[in-house]
């Protein structure tokens, strides 16, 4: 059973940067793929947006168009930590950010295939 814990959120001005971390503990029956999701204020859980994927073994991450070129997802396998480096933040990036894991490595954008979720870390960007 995996446990995920996000940290690193906070409040920044537009144009600023933050780095989120997701600490991984426990185990699943196979090496999962991970996705960073976000849930904007007023949105429901099933409206969470996929932000970036992290593939086990260091494969190329994938990004949603609205963060392409601004966010970078990475992992430290030895320490079992995922990172989401966020640059040039905008007010519409304001959201609760979650890391999630899918042992089957299916559709990285689909919330319903994720078996494990963290509790989230809040990012607030002011103009």
């Amino acid at each position: 059973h995996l446990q995920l814990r996000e940290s690193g959120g906070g409040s920044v001005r537009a144009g600023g940067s933050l780095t989120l971390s997701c600490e991984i503990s426990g185990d699943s029956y196979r090496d999962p793929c991970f996705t960073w999701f976000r849930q904007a204020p007023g949105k429901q859980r099933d409206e969470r947006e996929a932000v970036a994927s992290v593939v086990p073994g260091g494969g190329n991450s994938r990004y949603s168009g609205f963060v392409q070129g601004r966010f970078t997802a990475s992992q430290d396998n030895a320490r079992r930590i995922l990172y989401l480096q966020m640059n040039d933040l905008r007010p519409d990036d304001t959201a609760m950010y979650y890391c999630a894991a899918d042992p089957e490595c299916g559709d990285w954008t689909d919330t319903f295939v994720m078996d494990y979720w963290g509790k989230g870390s809040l990012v607030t960007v002011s103009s």
Side-chain angles (χ1 to χ4, degrees), residues 3-103:
Q3 292 88 43
L4 306 173
R5 185 177 69 174
E6 304 90 342
S7 61
S11 297
V12 296
R13 300 289 294 271
S17 298
L18 282 173
T19 299
L20 301 181
S21 300
C22 174
E23 295 179 50
I24 304 161
S25 58
D27 294 289
S28 67
Y29 58 92
R30 59 193 299 178
D31 285 342
C33 295
F34 297 91
T35 296
W36 286 97
F37 286 90
R38 69 185 188 186
Q39 182 173 344
K43 298 290 188 180
Q44 301 301 311
R45 180 186 173 109
D46 60 359
E47 297 176 282
R48 291 177 180 176
E49 300 177 301
V51 175
S53 71
V54 181
V55 178
N60 291 333
S61 293
R62 288 168 287 184
Y63 300 91
S64 291
F66 51 80
V67 302
Q68 188 78 39
R70 300 188 297 126
F71 290 13
T72 303
S74 62
Q75 59 184 344
D76 181 332
N77 286 325
R79 298 176 60 199
R80 303 188 77 195
I81 301 176
L82 308 177
Y83 299 99
L84 185 67
Q85 171 70 40
M86 305 183 294
N87 298 324
D88 189 24
L89 283 161
R90 304 166 181 168
D92 59 4
D93 291 319
T94 295
M96 185 73 81
Y97 284 73
Y98 299 88
C99 59
D102 171 20

